[in-house]
Amino acid sequence: MAARLAKASHSRALSLSPLVSTWPDLYGVSATATIVSHYKRRGDYRVHVATCDSEGDVNTLCFTFVKGYRSRENEDAAVGFLALRGLYEAAGKSTGKELPPEAAAPDWIVTEMPKEPVVNEVGEEAQGVEEIPALVSFQRGGSDGASDDGGEWKVIVDGRTILAPPSSALPRGTVIVLPSAGMDVGKIYGEALAAFGVPNRS
């Protein structure tokens, strides 16, 4: 679900960005979480964060909380922190920036339990420890313009291949070229630009 929401977020970002030149640098991010409420819950408290970049690659972070250790406010803050970490790591793939150590393993992660019992506001007693979440990447999208599941198309912006935006986000005068399987997409792109008198900058 988080991955689908991240893709929807990326699509929405495209539709809100009038400058086509910015599209390759847009990301979608999402977070789904089950955290402490006003009553006791069955099962774990966990968060799933996902990001989607312009090429359709999806990265996810999954984290399970020690149930009963934090307040609702602190779990909300942890979810936000992990969403920011996911976005930073997704952007870092293209910029070459690595995640700072203090962000990869923040000090709020429970690595050992205090000697005194810890109970949250709904009476859940904390037990266990937490694991540092690891980034999991899913490479999406095929080289022929459609994704592996056949549901996504690609466009070329300034020589960079990205996920196609929703039709409502395409600027007036957009030319869509659909090459057949096995054809050279770059060549087709150049020929399409030449047909309209536009220099190929790729």
Side-chain angles (χ1 to χ4, degrees), residues 90-170:
K93 284 175 30 180
S94 59
T95 63
K97 293 182 179 179
E98 295 185 359
L99 190 71
E102 63 273 17
D107 56 11
W108 51 260
I109 290 180
V110 180
T111 55
E112 61 179 351
M113 291 301 299
K115 295 180 179 180
E116 297 296 323
V118 178
V119 180
N120 66 11
E121 57 262 47
V122 297
E124 295 167 327
E125 184 174 346
Q127 295 181 354
V129 294
E130 297 168 340
E131 295 182 5
I132 297 172
L135 192 72
V136 179
S137 298
F138 299 93
Q139 304 298 320
R140 305 284 294 180
S143 58
D144 60 353
S147 71
D148 296 334
D149 60 11
E152 294 161 351
W153 291 89
K154 302 292 182 78
V155 296
I156 298 176
V157 177
D158 289 338
R160 294 172 63 182
T161 302
I162 67 169
L163 279 179
S167 58
S168 61
L170 293 172

Side-chain angles (χ1 to χ4, degrees), residues 36-103:
V36 64
S37 184
H38 57 278
Y39 57 90
K40 292 183 179 181
R41 292 179 181 267
R42 295 181 179 179
D44 293 330
Y45 290 165
R46 59 168 62 96
V47 55
H48 300 276
V49 167
T51 58
C52 177
D53 64 20
S54 62
E55 297 178 358
D57 292 343
V58 174
N59 297 318
T60 64
L61 281 169
C62 300
F63 182 73
T64 300
F65 294 103
V66 167
K67 193 173 184 178
Y69 189 82
R70 298 179 181 84
S71 65
R72 169 75 182 218
E73 183 180 68
N74 287 338
E75 288 191 351
D76 271 335
V79 171
F81 179 94
L82 291 172
L84 287 174
R85 175 188 160 180
L87 188 58
Y88 186 99
E89 292 204 68
K93 284 175 30 180
S94 59
T95 63
K97 293 182 179 179
E98 295 185 359
L99 190 71
E102 63 273 17

